[in-house]
Amino acid sequence: MALARTFAVALHGVRGHVVEVEADISAGLPAFVLIGLPDTALGESRKRVGAAAVNAGCPLTQKKLTINLSPAALPKQGSGFDLAIAIAALSAAGTVPPDSAAGAVHLGELGLDGRLRPVSGILPAVLAARDAGFARVFVPAGNAEEASLVEGIDVLGVTGLRAAAIAHGAELDPVEEEPVLPPQPEVREAAEPDMADVAGNDEAIAALLAAAAGGHHLSMVGPPGSGKTMLARRLPTILPDLAGPEAVEATCIRSLTGAGVGKDLVRRPPFEAPHHTASAAALVGGGTGRIAPGAIVRATHGVLFLDEAAEFPPSVLDALRQPLENGSITIHRASGAASFPARFQLVLASNPCPCGHYGSADEECTCSPMSRRRYFARMSGPLLDRVDIRLTVRRLGVAAVRSADHQRSDRTSELLRARVETARAVAAERLRGTEWSRNADVSGSWLRAGERRLGSRAIAPLDRALERGAITMRGYDRTLRLAWTLADLDQAPSPDVDHVGRALFLRRGIAS
């Protein structure tokens, strides 16, 4: 057999594309030619595959071997094609039955000793193979646990090239090999933060509850030590567990980053808190070679917390504007383009001025009015217009600290999460049959039409704010969404004038 084929998967973002790996053996001087738009890491597979095949006891042909990765116009990246290239070459040489090789997808990087090394992105790759109609996929033994999360496809975890060839029916003597396992991250047992740890700040906690129930973005402004970071880090604890497509998507993103997945899908909402020196590429994603996901992608279905938001470069902050609207990010580079989900809750925290003491009762601010305006101008108007809830958080007094112990049992994260789940269930029932499940995602035109349209009395405060120019049309719709969330938390059939007024108050900022 001079021509054989098998299949692999090329990842672009979280989407996988099945690639046909063709091997042709022809007369001529010994050569190993790889074509089909490979990157540098994939181009080096010729050396890896050749050495691995020899050390595994199934050497490649001594004739001219040509490997074609089809479709040729699709860029291919990474070392995960090694196993497919080796199996295709062995199939063309007659070592592996061609029918068996052509009916499976092969993923994994080969070491020089012939063993298979784990690779990142196994979960989205196996999902792509299953969706393309394949019933069998070969993966490194170190990735078998992750790949088995995909139902409807037979996953074979193999330790090396020789084991894969034998599984296909090659007449080779089996050899015991130690599987190459992925590095295990250091696990530190730490107690999960709880909202009951927060002293006072009743209005702030009520605002966080609304943000969690509706998926709304949040901004907090206050002096150092007022509890902004403490509040933000406890927002994920009151968010419901991920389920269904959300859990699969969050797990695929974790797989892409190489962080390790384990035996189950990601269930808890992720939390990302990049430093204020992060670049735009670190925040939204990018890279000169392979396009890597950024912090907004890793925070999908969770929380992206930007502490000291006014210290971020304006260009970095403005890169968030499009993902906040679309819920996704497409990154274009000379090597190609990659699309990632980016549906996260944004939490901004900043000081009121460079020195941090503006508005404080116990500290004197040393900043000029111009420096304060320049400081906040880093967060552009269009960005803040996409934030539904704006809080002014103040330092606690002695009375609030002493009374905190009496309030802890009334607002634990577990109790607040139950309220959030109930409110989201009400919203999901109302939005059944639409493409949305959270109030923050609903189209404004849908809320302003038909039976969802609020009465003139309920909407009067919002209409007056729009007429005065106090809010934009985007702000009008976002306030409506927040009003529906407040009504869901109160188990009301629809927002009344009180809910609309509270939503408008939250959007324009409150003092806690």
Side-chain angles (χ1 to χ4, degrees):
M1 185 72 178
L3 178 65
R5 61 175 52 85
T6 189
F7 296 90
V9 175
L11 290 175
H12 291 268
V14 293
R15 294 183 58 191
H17 303 270
V18 173
V19 173
E20 184 177 2
V21 182
E22 299 175 300
D24 175 72
I25 297 177
S26 58
L29 295 175
F32 191 149
V33 181
L34 179 62
I35 57 177
L37 217 59
D39 70 345
T40 302
L42 179 51
E44 293 172 346
S45 66
R46 294 174 299 175
K47 301 295 185 182
R48 289 194 300 271
V49 170
V54 171
N55 293 321
C58 43
L60 303 181
T61 179
Q62 293 300 309
K63 298 181 180 180
K64 182 179 181 181
L65 173 63
T66 303
I67 300 291
N68 178 45
L69 308 177
S70 180
L74 181 71
K76 292 91 178 174
Q77 300 171 331
S79 57
F81 290 82
D82 288 2
L83 180 59
I85 291 172
I87 292 295
L90 293 176
S91 180
T95 305
V96 171
D99 293 340
S100 180
V105 173
H106 300 83
L107 307 169
E109 174 187 335
L110 285 170
L112 298 184
D113 58 357
R115 292 190 298 170
L116 270 177
R117 301 181 180 277
V119 294
S120 60
I122 282 290
L123 184 61
V126 175
L127 283 169
R130 184 199 63 183
D131 295 343
F134 287 90
R136 199 180 192 197
V137 60
F138 285 74
V139 301
N143 291 130
E145 196 172 66
E146 176 183 337
S148 64
L149 295 174
V150 181
E151 298 178 352
I153 189 169
D154 186 19
V155 175
L156 282 82
V158 290
T159 57
L161 176 58
R162 189 182 184 91
I166 292 173
H168 276 297
E171 297 180 357
L172 299 171
D173 295 330
V175 177
E176 290 189 8
E177 292 179 311
E178 285 290 330
V180 181
L181 301 177
Q184 297 299 318
E186 182 181 355
V187 178
R188 296 182 179 178
E189 294 293 335
E192 186 179 24
D194 197 290
M195 198 67 78
D197 300 333
V198 180
N201 283 322
D202 294 338
E203 293 87 352
I205 290 180
L208 259 69
L209 182 65
H216 304 285
H217 306 306
L218 172 72
S219 170
M220 294 182 286
V221 177
S226 57
K228 304 184 297 295
T229 301
M230 189 178 191
L231 288 164
R233 291 191 176 276
R234 280 154 181 76
L235 176 58
T237 68
I238 64 174
L239 293 177
D241 287 343
L242 302 181
E246 290 185 351
V248 173
E249 196 168 58
T251 310
C252 285
I253 293 170
R254 185 174 177 85
S255 176
L256 278 175
T257 61
V261 172
K263 300 180 181 179
D264 197 9
L265 297 174
V266 172
R267 296 297 181 185
R268 292 303 302 149
F271 180 82
E272 289 289 327
H275 193 260
H276 63 261
T277 56
S279 65
L283 197 62
V284 303
T288 56
R290 185 171 185 174
I291 300 176
I296 66 171
V297 178
R298 299 192 299 273
T300 294
H301 304 305
V303 175
L304 175 68
F305 176 44
L306 301 186
D307 201 3
E308 305 295 345
E311 299 291 342
F312 280 79
S315 59
V316 173
L317 292 176
D318 284 340
L320 297 173
R321 286 156 55 176
Q322 185 180 3
L324 285 174
E325 287 292 324
N326 299 338
S328 62
I329 179 73
T330 301
I331 303 169
H332 296 268
R333 294 293 184 268
S335 59
S339 296
F340 298 95
R343 192 168 297 280
F344 56 90
Q345 279 187 255
L346 176 65
V347 178
L348 302 172
S350 60
N351 294 326
C353 63
C355 78
H357 301 308
Y358 180 68
S360 177
D362 54 350
E363 297 284 351
E364 182 180 356
C365 176
T366 59
C367 306
S368 66
M370 180 62 70
S371 66
R372 289 196 296 268
R373 286 195 296 269
R374 189 164 51 244
Y375 187 69
F376 267 101
R378 292 181 173 224
M379 296 184 287
S380 66
L383 174 64
L384 292 177
D385 199 33
R386 291 166 167 83
V387 177
D388 301 340
I389 301 174
R390 305 172 188 177
L391 288 172
T392 300
V393 186
R394 302 194 185 281
R395 289 174 180 161
L396 295 180
V398 175
V401 173
R402 289 180 176 176
S403 64
D405 292 338
H406 303 291
Q407 302 171 2
R408 292 173 62 94
S409 60
D410 297 333
R411 60 183 192 192
T412 64
S413 291
E414 184 179 358
L415 292 176
L416 295 179
R417 189 189 307 163
R419 290 191 60 189
V420 169
E421 291 171 347
T422 301
R424 288 201 177 192
V426 172
E429 178 63 26
R430 181 175 63 253
L431 299 172
R432 188 172 57 179
T434 70
E435 59 182 302
W436 312 295
S437 60
R438 303 184 310 173
N439 290 322
D441 304 326
V442 177
S443 166
S445 59
W446 189 84
L447 286 177
R448 290 182 271 106
E451 60 183 14
R452 283 87 54 187
R453 183 178 179 86
L454 302 182
S456 58
R457 182 175 183 275
I459 211 72
L462 199 52
D463 289 341
R464 289 196 296 270
L466 183 63
E467 290 174 357
R468 294 196 310 268
I471 58 173
T472 63
M473 194 63 218
R474 179 191 286 119
Y476 187 100
D477 288 341
R478 287 187 172 274
T479 306
L480 270 181
R481 297 167 187 162
L482 182 55
W484 275 100
T485 298
L486 296 175
D488 292 340
L489 285 169
D490 292 342
Q491 300 292 300
S494 65
D496 56 22
V497 65
D498 179 61
H499 294 122
V500 174
R502 285 162 55 195
L504 189 59
F505 194 47
L506 284 170
R507 180 167 179 81
R508 297 179 65 179
I510 65 172
S512 95

mmCIF file of all heavy atoms in Angstrom, residues 65-102:
data_model
loop_
_atom_site.group_PDB
_atom_site.id
_atom_site.type_symbol
_atom_site.label_atom_id
_atom_site.label_comp_id
_atom_site.label_asym_id
_atom_site.label_seq_id
_atom_site.Cartn_x
_atom_site.Cartn_y
_atom_site.Cartn_z
ATOM 1 N N LEU A 65 8.832 9.601 1.618
ATOM 2 C CA LEU A 65 7.551 9.666 2.333
ATOM 3 C C LEU A 65 7.034 11.105 2.290
ATOM 4 O O LEU A 65 7.721 12.028 2.727
ATOM 5 C CB LEU A 65 7.721 9.205 3.783
ATOM 6 C CG LEU A 65 6.511 9.381 4.707
ATOM 7 C CD1 LEU A 65 5.333 8.540 4.234
ATOM 8 C CD2 LEU A 65 6.889 9.026 6.146
ATOM 9 N N THR A 66 5.825 11.273 1.757
ATOM 10 C CA THR A 66 5.190 12.591 1.694
ATOM 11 C C THR A 66 3.938 12.567 2.558
ATOM 12 O O THR A 66 3.064 11.708 2.390
ATOM 13 C CB THR A 66 4.815 12.963 0.253
ATOM 14 O OG1 THR A 66 5.990 12.923 -0.558
ATOM 15 C CG2 THR A 66 4.200 14.355 0.203
ATOM 16 N N ILE A 67 3.854 13.507 3.474
ATOM 17 C CA ILE A 67 2.683 13.651 4.347
ATOM 18 C C ILE A 67 1.972 14.939 3.959
ATOM 19 O O ILE A 67 2.579 16.014 3.949
ATOM 20 C CB ILE A 67 3.078 13.702 5.835
ATOM 21 C CG1 ILE A 67 3.807 12.419 6.236
ATOM 22 C CG2 ILE A 67 1.848 13.919 6.701
ATOM 23 C CD1 ILE A 67 2.945 11.181 6.248
ATOM 24 N N ASN A 68 0.684 14.828 3.662
ATOM 25 C CA ASN A 68 -0.120 15.994 3.306
ATOM 26 C C ASN A 68 -1.218 16.175 4.344
ATOM 27 O O ASN A 68 -1.933 15.236 4.696
ATOM 28 C CB ASN A 68 -0.748 15.813 1.922
ATOM 29 C CG ASN A 68 -1.627 17.010 1.559
ATOM 30 O OD1 ASN A 68 -1.234 18.151 1.761
ATOM 31 N ND2 ASN A 68 -2.809 16.739 1.026
ATOM 32 N N LEU A 69 -1.346 17.396 4.848
ATOM 33 C CA LEU A 69 -2.384 17.749 5.810
ATOM 34 C C LEU A 69 -3.461 18.529 5.071
ATOM 35 O O LEU A 69 -3.222 19.640 4.604
ATOM 36 C CB LEU A 69 -1.805 18.577 6.954
ATOM 37 C CG LEU A 69 -0.568 17.989 7.652
ATOM 38 C CD1 LEU A 69 -0.052 18.942 8.706
ATOM 39 C CD2 LEU A 69 -0.900 16.633 8.266
ATOM 40 N N SER A 70 -4.639 17.934 4.942
ATOM 41 C CA SER A 70 -5.705 18.520 4.132
ATOM 42 C C SER A 70 -6.908 18.882 5.021
ATOM 43 O O SER A 70 -7.240 18.131 5.940
ATOM 44 C CB SER A 70 -6.128 17.511 3.050
ATOM 45 O OG SER A 70 -7.151 18.035 2.257
ATOM 46 N N PRO A 71 -7.525 20.054 4.780
ATOM 47 C CA PRO A 71 -7.323 20.999 3.683
ATOM 48 C C PRO A 71 -6.029 21.788 3.825
ATOM 49 O O PRO A 71 -5.686 22.248 4.924
ATOM 50 C CB PRO A 71 -8.543 21.921 3.793
ATOM 51 C CG PRO A 71 -8.983 21.822 5.213
ATOM 52 C CD PRO A 71 -8.671 20.441 5.647
ATOM 53 N N ALA A 72 -5.357 21.945 2.707
ATOM 54 C CA ALA A 72 -4.023 22.544 2.715
ATOM 55 C C ALA A 72 -4.037 24.016 3.095
ATOM 56 O O ALA A 72 -3.041 24.534 3.593
ATOM 57 C CB ALA A 72 -3.381 22.365 1.341
ATOM 58 N N ALA A 73 -5.169 24.708 2.863
ATOM 59 C CA ALA A 73 -5.219 26.143 3.136
ATOM 60 C C ALA A 73 -5.472 26.448 4.607
ATOM 61 O O ALA A 73 -5.370 27.602 5.018
ATOM 62 C CB ALA A 73 -6.307 26.795 2.280
ATOM 63 N N LEU A 74 -5.803 25.429 5.404
ATOM 64 C CA LEU A 74 -6.092 25.646 6.814
ATOM 65 C C LEU A 74 -4.796 25.589 7.621
ATOM 66 O O LEU A 74 -4.082 24.584 7.584
ATOM 67 C CB LEU A 74 -7.055 24.565 7.319
ATOM 68 C CG LEU A 74 -7.481 24.657 8.778
ATOM 69 C CD1 LEU A 74 -8.427 25.835 8.973
ATOM 70 C CD2 LEU A 74 -8.149 23.353 9.224
ATOM 71 N N PRO A 75 -4.454 26.661 8.356
ATOM 72 C CA PRO A 75 -3.215 26.618 9.155
ATOM 73 C C PRO A 75 -3.292 25.536 10.236
ATOM 74 O O PRO A 75 -4.333 25.357 10.876
ATOM 75 C CB PRO A 75 -3.147 28.016 9.773
ATOM 76 C CG PRO A 75 -4.031 28.875 8.927
ATOM 77 C CD PRO A 75 -5.112 27.977 8.434
ATOM 78 N N LYS A 76 -2.196 24.801 10.405
ATOM 79 C CA LYS A 76 -2.118 23.774 11.446
ATOM 80 C C LYS A 76 -0.997 24.127 12.413
ATOM 81 O O LYS A 76 0.082 24.514 11.982
ATOM 82 C CB LYS A 76 -1.860 22.382 10.851
ATOM 83 C CG LYS A 76 -3.000 21.813 10.034
ATOM 84 C CD LYS A 76 -2.859 22.185 8.592
ATOM 85 C CE LYS A 76 -3.974 21.580 7.744
ATOM 86 N NZ LYS A 76 -3.904 22.080 6.340
ATOM 87 N N GLN A 77 -1.292 23.969 13.692
ATOM 88 C CA GLN A 77 -0.337 24.402 14.702
ATOM 89 C C GLN A 77 -0.174 23.324 15.758
ATOM 90 O O GLN A 77 -1.088 22.556 16.040
ATOM 91 C CB GLN A 77 -0.821 25.697 15.374
ATOM 92 C CG GLN A 77 -0.992 26.856 14.411
ATOM 93 C CD GLN A 77 -1.679 28.043 15.063
ATOM 94 O OE1 GLN A 77 -2.462 27.887 15.979
ATOM 95 N NE2 GLN A 77 -1.386 29.235 14.570
ATOM 96 N N GLY A 78 1.009 23.275 16.341
ATOM 97 C CA GLY A 78 1.247 22.431 17.493
ATOM 98 C C GLY A 78 1.746 21.044 17.158
ATOM 99 O O GLY A 78 1.852 20.638 16.000
ATOM 100 N N SER A 79 2.046 20.303 18.218
ATOM 101 C CA SER A 79 2.637 18.973 18.082
ATOM 102 C C SER A 79 1.614 17.851 18.198
ATOM 103 O O SER A 79 1.988 16.680 18.195
ATOM 104 C CB SER A 79 3.708 18.784 19.166
ATOM 105 O OG SER A 79 3.140 18.983 20.454
ATOM 106 N N GLY A 80 0.328 18.195 18.282
ATOM 107 C CA GLY A 80 -0.693 17.179 18.459
ATOM 108 C C GLY A 80 -0.968 16.335 17.234
ATOM 109 O O GLY A 80 -1.785 15.405 17.299
ATOM 110 N N PHE A 81 -0.296 16.593 16.108
ATOM 111 C CA PHE A 81 -0.474 15.815 14.886
ATOM 112 C C PHE A 81 0.501 14.638 14.789
ATOM 113 O O PHE A 81 0.421 13.855 13.850
ATOM 114 C CB PHE A 81 -0.286 16.709 13.647
ATOM 115 C CG PHE A 81 -1.385 17.709 13.441
ATOM 116 C CD1 PHE A 81 -1.390 18.904 14.138
ATOM 117 C CD2 PHE A 81 -2.418 17.477 12.543
ATOM 118 C CE1 PHE A 81 -2.388 19.846 13.948
ATOM 119 C CE2 PHE A 81 -3.411 18.399 12.348
ATOM 120 C CZ PHE A 81 -3.416 19.594 13.050
ATOM 121 N N ASP A 82 1.432 14.533 15.737
ATOM 122 C CA ASP A 82 2.491 13.521 15.621
ATOM 123 C C ASP A 82 1.938 12.113 15.447
ATOM 124 O O ASP A 82 2.377 11.358 14.569
ATOM 125 C CB ASP A 82 3.387 13.560 16.861
ATOM 126 C CG ASP A 82 4.285 14.789 16.889
ATOM 127 O OD1 ASP A 82 4.185 15.617 15.968
ATOM 128 O OD2 ASP A 82 5.086 14.900 17.840
ATOM 129 N N LEU A 83 0.996 11.723 16.297
ATOM 130 C CA LEU A 83 0.481 10.348 16.247
ATOM 131 C C LEU A 83 -0.220 10.071 14.922
ATOM 132 O O LEU A 83 -0.040 9.006 14.326
ATOM 133 C CB LEU A 83 -0.473 10.103 17.418
ATOM 134 C CG LEU A 83 -1.079 8.693 17.493
ATOM 135 C CD1 LEU A 83 0.018 7.645 17.612
ATOM 136 C CD2 LEU A 83 -2.067 8.590 18.657
ATOM 137 N N ALA A 84 -1.004 11.028 14.428
ATOM 138 C CA ALA A 84 -1.706 10.826 13.161
ATOM 139 C C ALA A 84 -0.713 10.685 12.007
ATOM 140 O O ALA A 84 -0.893 9.841 11.117
ATOM 141 C CB ALA A 84 -2.664 11.996 12.910
ATOM 142 N N ILE A 85 0.359 11.477 12.006
ATOM 143 C CA ILE A 85 1.371 11.387 10.949
ATOM 144 C C ILE A 85 2.050 10.023 10.983
ATOM 145 O O ILE A 85 2.243 9.375 9.944
ATOM 146 C CB ILE A 85 2.395 12.528 11.113
ATOM 147 C CG1 ILE A 85 1.735 13.883 10.803
ATOM 148 C CG2 ILE A 85 3.601 12.308 10.212
ATOM 149 C CD1 ILE A 85 2.609 15.081 11.127
ATOM 150 N N ALA A 86 2.389 9.561 12.185
ATOM 151 C CA ALA A 86 3.075 8.275 12.303
ATOM 152 C C ALA A 86 2.167 7.121 11.881
ATOM 153 O O ALA A 86 2.608 6.208 11.156
ATOM 154 C CB ALA A 86 3.542 8.077 13.744
ATOM 155 N N ILE A 87 0.912 7.130 12.285
ATOM 156 C CA ILE A 87 -0.010 6.050 11.926
ATOM 157 C C ILE A 87 -0.275 6.053 10.426
ATOM 158 O O ILE A 87 -0.333 4.982 9.783
ATOM 159 C CB ILE A 87 -1.323 6.177 12.713
ATOM 160 C CG1 ILE A 87 -1.084 5.906 14.197
ATOM 161 C CG2 ILE A 87 -2.392 5.239 12.163
ATOM 162 C CD1 ILE A 87 -0.644 4.489 14.500
ATOM 163 N N ALA A 88 -0.408 7.234 9.825
ATOM 164 C CA ALA A 88 -0.616 7.300 8.376
ATOM 165 C C ALA A 88 0.591 6.729 7.634
ATOM 166 O O ALA A 88 0.445 5.988 6.644
ATOM 167 C CB ALA A 88 -0.881 8.741 7.948
ATOM 168 N N ALA A 89 1.804 7.043 8.105
ATOM 169 C CA ALA A 89 3.015 6.537 7.459
ATOM 170 C C ALA A 89 3.127 5.022 7.610
ATOM 171 O O ALA A 89 3.479 4.307 6.657
ATOM 172 C CB ALA A 89 4.242 7.222 8.052
ATOM 173 N N LEU A 90 2.826 4.514 8.800
ATOM 174 C CA LEU A 90 2.873 3.066 9.002
ATOM 175 C C LEU A 90 1.793 2.348 8.200
ATOM 176 O O LEU A 90 1.985 1.225 7.738
ATOM 177 C CB LEU A 90 2.723 2.746 10.492
ATOM 178 C CG LEU A 90 3.871 3.193 11.407
ATOM 179 C CD1 LEU A 90 3.542 2.908 12.864
ATOM 180 C CD2 LEU A 90 5.174 2.505 11.008
ATOM 181 N N SER A 91 0.650 3.004 8.041
ATOM 182 C CA SER A 91 -0.413 2.413 7.232
ATOM 183 C C SER A 91 -0.023 2.360 5.765
ATOM 184 O O SER A 91 -0.288 1.370 5.068
ATOM 185 C CB SER A 91 -1.708 3.209 7.407
ATOM 186 O OG SER A 91 -2.760 2.671 6.646
ATOM 187 N N ALA A 92 0.640 3.412 5.259
ATOM 188 C CA ALA A 92 1.090 3.419 3.868
ATOM 189 C C ALA A 92 2.150 2.347 3.629
ATOM 190 O O ALA A 92 2.234 1.778 2.530
ATOM 191 C CB ALA A 92 1.648 4.793 3.504
ATOM 192 N N ALA A 93 2.932 2.037 4.674
ATOM 193 C CA ALA A 93 3.974 1.007 4.554
ATOM 194 C C ALA A 93 3.427 -0.397 4.745
ATOM 195 O O ALA A 93 4.158 -1.379 4.544
ATOM 196 C CB ALA A 93 5.075 1.275 5.569
ATOM 197 N N GLY A 94 2.159 -0.521 5.156
ATOM 198 C CA GLY A 94 1.555 -1.836 5.345
ATOM 199 C C GLY A 94 1.672 -2.386 6.739
ATOM 200 O O GLY A 94 1.197 -3.493 7.007
ATOM 201 N N THR A 95 2.262 -1.648 7.659
ATOM 202 C CA THR A 95 2.387 -2.126 9.041
ATOM 203 C C THR A 95 1.054 -2.082 9.766
ATOM 204 O O THR A 95 0.730 -2.974 10.562
ATOM 205 C CB THR A 95 3.430 -1.277 9.796
ATOM 206 O OG1 THR A 95 4.665 -1.282 9.077
ATOM 207 C CG2 THR A 95 3.659 -1.805 11.203
ATOM 208 N N VAL A 96 0.281 -1.033 9.514
ATOM 209 C CA VAL A 96 -1.031 -0.850 10.133
ATOM 210 C C VAL A 96 -2.099 -1.036 9.073
ATOM 211 O O VAL A 96 -1.985 -0.470 7.974
ATOM 212 C CB VAL A 96 -1.139 0.557 10.768
ATOM 213 C CG1 VAL A 96 -2.566 0.853 11.215
ATOM 214 C CG2 VAL A 96 -0.176 0.685 11.951
ATOM 215 N N PRO A 97 -3.167 -1.817 9.340
ATOM 216 C CA PRO A 97 -4.247 -1.994 8.362
ATOM 217 C C PRO A 97 -4.849 -0.652 7.968
ATOM 218 O O PRO A 97 -5.226 0.144 8.835
ATOM 219 C CB PRO A 97 -5.268 -2.865 9.107
ATOM 220 C CG PRO A 97 -4.467 -3.595 10.130
ATOM 221 C CD PRO A 97 -3.376 -2.654 10.536
ATOM 222 N N PRO A 98 -4.937 -0.366 6.663
ATOM 223 C CA PRO A 98 -5.403 0.950 6.213
ATOM 224 C C PRO A 98 -6.841 1.259 6.595
ATOM 225 O O PRO A 98 -7.174 2.409 6.901
ATOM 226 C CB PRO A 98 -5.218 0.898 4.697
ATOM 227 C CG PRO A 98 -5.164 -0.561 4.367
ATOM 228 C CD PRO A 98 -4.548 -1.230 5.535
ATOM 229 N N ASP A 99 -7.730 0.267 6.597
ATOM 230 C CA ASP A 99 -9.126 0.521 6.940
ATOM 231 C C ASP A 99 -9.274 0.964 8.389
ATOM 232 O O ASP A 99 -10.076 1.847 8.706
ATOM 233 C CB ASP A 99 -9.970 -0.727 6.694
ATOM 234 C CG ASP A 99 -10.072 -1.073 5.217
ATOM 235 O OD1 ASP A 99 -9.832 -0.162 4.387
ATOM 236 O OD2 ASP A 99 -10.373 -2.238 4.889
ATOM 237 N N SER A 100 -8.510 0.333 9.275
ATOM 238 C CA SER A 100 -8.570 0.704 10.686
ATOM 239 C C SER A 100 -8.026 2.112 10.903
ATOM 240 O O SER A 100 -8.609 2.908 11.644
ATOM 241 C CB SER A 100 -7.776 -0.296 11.522
ATOM 242 O OG SER A 100 -7.812 0.046 12.892
ATOM 243 N N ALA A 101 -6.920 2.447 10.245
ATOM 244 C CA ALA A 101 -6.327 3.781 10.402
ATOM 245 C C ALA A 101 -7.254 4.861 9.868
ATOM 246 O O ALA A 101 -7.356 5.953 10.443
ATOM 247 C CB ALA A 101 -4.982 3.843 9.692
ATOM 248 N N ALA A 102 -7.941 4.581 8.755
ATOM 249 C CA ALA A 102 -8.805 5.583 8.133
ATOM 250 C C ALA A 102 -10.098 5.793 8.891
ATOM 251 O O ALA A 102 -10.830 6.750 8.594
ATOM 252 C CB ALA A 102 -9.108 5.174 6.691
#
